[in-house]
Structure formats: structure tokens, C-alpha cells
Amino acid sequence: MATTSHRALQLLSLLGTGRTWPLRDLAAKLEVSERTARRDLDTLRELGYPVATVRGPHGGYRLGTGHTLPPLLFDHEQALAIAIALQTAPRSVYGLQDGTARALVTVQQAMPATLRAAMESLRLTRLRNYWEFPGPPIDPAALTTVGTAVRLHHILTAEVLRPDGTRIAPDKADFAAPHRLEPHHLVVWTGRWYLIAYDLNDQCWRVDRVDRLHPRPTGRAFTPRELPGGDLAHFVMTSPDRGDTPAADWPCTGSARLNLPAQVVAHWAPGGSVVEHLDPHHSRLTLGAWSWAGVAGILATFDTDLTDLHPPALTQACQQIAHRYTTLQPTPPPT
């Protein structure tokens, strides 16, 4: 009975996507025979769910209108948490991408319009990254403000904060007037949230970390512009003024120049590290770890020449690892 109940819930989740499912596809998803899948469909009908049969060569089964599901009671912060968690779930787990997409659709369908709008505000572009280290904390209110402005094409005014997240007083030497920004895209890369915007003050494109901004909405609309080059990933990775620092306070933090382009290094770099574009064939990677050997070990995974290492302790760790490996003796084959 538990297996049947589990299949019924899974079947309801599949039908809740709104598409029409051929019987063979449902059976394959549930990993049962077509006869069992048809019996599970009848079970849903007995429970009061309007499972409709669609005739024809492209027919199958879908969930009809008028069904009632238990209400989902989420406050604003819970809705944001769901949107962020589902959209930034690690892609390195096999099969998770399809499940998170279906879950996001299911949750959105059950939400009131106001919360659905909040979730839509955070529909973002996520650049692929294979290491999942936590990024810096971010204010949900700032994220909501920026996401809504991107979705509605509304101008923002934003102060640039210090690296520790504090605002700069007007009487301080490093104070700068708030920028008027046309926000175009939200991007998640290496564990950080970035805003791609056109700066109306300086008449140029810029990339800012959202956790380094204090944004305020204006309600004034703008006409979207074409991003130079049209490539979000390349634009973020090659923008030198993103305000990046290593995300965590590691015991050891070092950097090296790699004979690889920034887009290749960023594809494999640990989340929270800093990738600098130097030229089309070289980049600088700054990262942290629990030991200098750990930093050296991550750099070695790029399988390329390293130069200009900092600090000297990192160079020593690389040399010690190299010496350790050169003294290894092959294991004799078993007799």
C-alpha cells in the first residue's frame, strides 16, 4: 500500500505539470507496467482528481481543471526561499534538474498571485559550476528589489557598499553618490549573485554583486538595451570590477596565473573563488582552502602551467607536493 501511495503522489506530480502524458511515458517514469499505471490513474479518479483522457495520435492523460489541492501557506520569505532553493539547487546531482523544475511549477500553480509574482521576480540565469561552496549572505529585501526591477524593467538607484556589507557615510573619503541603474539580468556564478545593469550616471555597462548593493526602486520604466556581445556568461566573467573577494575566510588564500582563458577556469573553479580575465588565453584564480597543500591541489586539477604564484607559502606547497610525487615508487604487481 505504501508503494501504491508513493506512486499516486508521483503520478499526481507528473500530471500537475499541465502536459499530456502518453501511457507508456507515465509507466516509464513510474517504473511500472502500463497496466499498473492505468490502475494508478483510476486510483486518482476515485480520490476525486479529474484525470482526463485525451484521444488521438498525440493523446494520453492530463489533469483536468477544477481540481482542488490543499492550500500551501507560505509567507513572503518562505516563498523567496523556495524560489532560490529550487533555482540554485546543485546541478551536479544526477536527475535533480528535472525534479526541481517540476517542483517549481507545482508550487507556483498553488500559490496566490502576489507570492507567484515574488517568485517570478527571481527567475534568473545560472552559470554552471561544479563546486558548491556557500556564497556570502544576501539580504532577501535587496534580492526582491533587484529581481522585481529586472522583471518589470524599472530603473534602480543603488549605493555600492563596502566589502563587509556596510554603507559608506557621506563624510567618508570613499563615499560615492548612488548610481542610477537599468537592471537587465540576474546571474548566479561561483556562489554569488550578480546584477548586469546599464549605469545611467557613467553611461556604461557594469556588473555588481547584489550583496554589495543597497538598491531602492524608482518605479520609472526603461526600454531594455542589447547587451554587448549578447553573452551573459562571458560578460560577467570578463568584467574586472565585480567587487569580488574570496567568499569564505579561509586559513589559506592564494592566487596563480593560469594558461587558460577565464571562461574555462570559471567553469571548473570552486564556488566563491575569484576568476580574473587577463587576456584571451590567460586568467588569474584566487581561492582559499584549509591548507596551502589544499590550494595547490585545487590548482593542480586545471592541468596547465602556473606562474606568478602568491604568497611564497603557496609556491613552497607546490614544490613540496611535486617532490613528494616524484619520490613515489610503483607498486609491484601481485604474484
Side-chain angles (χ1 to χ4, degrees):
M1 183 64 184
T3 302
T4 303
S5 301
H6 176 77
R7 284 202 315 270
L9 291 173
Q10 186 179 0
L11 180 57
L12 187 59
S13 174
L14 294 172
L15 295 174
T17 61
R19 60 171 284 191
T20 299
W21 288 85
L23 182 62
R24 62 179 178 276
D25 291 352
L26 287 176
K29 283 284 189 180
L30 298 173
E31 298 182 349
V32 296
S33 66
E34 292 186 9
R35 180 179 179 182
T36 300
R38 190 179 291 110
R39 192 162 56 240
D40 289 340
L41 289 165
D42 291 337
T43 298
L44 291 182
R45 290 191 178 105
E46 293 171 1
L47 292 172
Y49 292 97
V51 179
T53 302
V54 181
R55 307 293 180 183
H58 302 291
Y61 298 89
R62 61 180 174 83
L63 201 59
T65 58
H67 60 285
T68 301
L69 293 177
L72 297 177
L73 304 177
F74 294 124
D75 60 25
H76 188 74
E77 290 188 357
Q78 288 173 320
L80 293 180
I82 292 173
I84 294 169
L86 291 176
Q87 293 187 78
T88 60
R91 299 299 198 265
S92 57
V93 180
Y94 178 77
L96 188 60
Q97 188 167 359
D98 177 64
T100 54
R102 288 193 293 110
L104 187 60
V105 170
T106 302
V107 170
Q108 284 177 321
Q109 288 178 340
M111 280 187 168
T114 53
L115 292 186
R116 192 181 307 121
M119 294 180 71
E120 285 291 337
S121 298
L122 296 180
R123 189 168 294 280
L124 51 92
T125 301
R126 188 179 193 277
L127 306 186
R128 198 174 182 189
N129 184 267
Y130 288 89
W131 298 66
E132 294 295 335
F133 287 104
I138 189 167
D139 182 7
L143 200 55
T144 302
T145 299
V146 172
T148 300
V150 170
R151 178 171 62 91
L152 299 179
H153 305 307
H154 282 178
I155 294 173
L156 287 172
T157 59
E159 299 175 42
V160 178
L161 307 177
R162 289 195 176 99
D164 61 1
T166 58
R167 298 174 67 178
I168 306 173
D171 59 342
K172 299 299 182 182
D174 54 346
F175 174 79
H179 293 261
R180 292 186 305 125
L181 304 176
E182 294 179 350
H184 283 71
H185 303 280
L186 264 180
V187 174
V188 173
W189 179 50
T190 60
R192 299 184 177 100
W193 295 70
Y194 294 94
L195 171 65
I196 299 178
Y198 187 81
D199 191 328
L200 295 172
N201 293 34
D202 298 333
Q203 297 292 301
C204 65
W205 287 91
R206 60 185 292 150
V207 177
D208 287 288
R209 283 175 45 176
V210 180
D211 63 301
R212 299 281 175 82
L213 293 178
H214 181 70
R216 294 189 300 274
T218 67
R220 296 193 298 272
F222 67 89
T223 301
R225 306 170 188 258
E226 288 291 328
L227 181 71
D231 189 334
L232 293 175
H234 185 263
F235 189 77
V236 171
M237 289 185 291
T238 57
S239 296
D241 233 349
R242 298 185 303 264
D244 282 341
T245 55
D249 187 15
W250 299 103
C252 301
T253 301
S255 67
R257 175 188 171 101
L258 282 68
N259 287 5
L260 289 172
Q263 59 265 33
V264 173
V265 175
H267 186 78
W268 301 99
S273 58
V274 178
V275 181
E276 299 176 57
H277 172 82
L278 300 179
D279 60 53
H281 306 290
H282 299 87
S283 58
R284 172 168 290 279
L285 175 62
T286 302
L287 72 160
W290 292 275
S291 67
W292 291 116
V295 177
I298 297 175
L299 290 173
T301 63
F302 289 90
D303 194 21
T304 187
D305 292 336
L306 305 175
T307 56
D308 195 20
L309 277 69
H310 293 284
L314 177 57
T315 304
Q316 295 173 3
C318 291
Q319 294 170 343
Q320 290 171 355
I321 291 175
H323 175 72
R324 190 176 300 145
Y325 285 173
T326 56
T327 59
L328 289 176
Q329 297 298 320
T331 302
T335 57

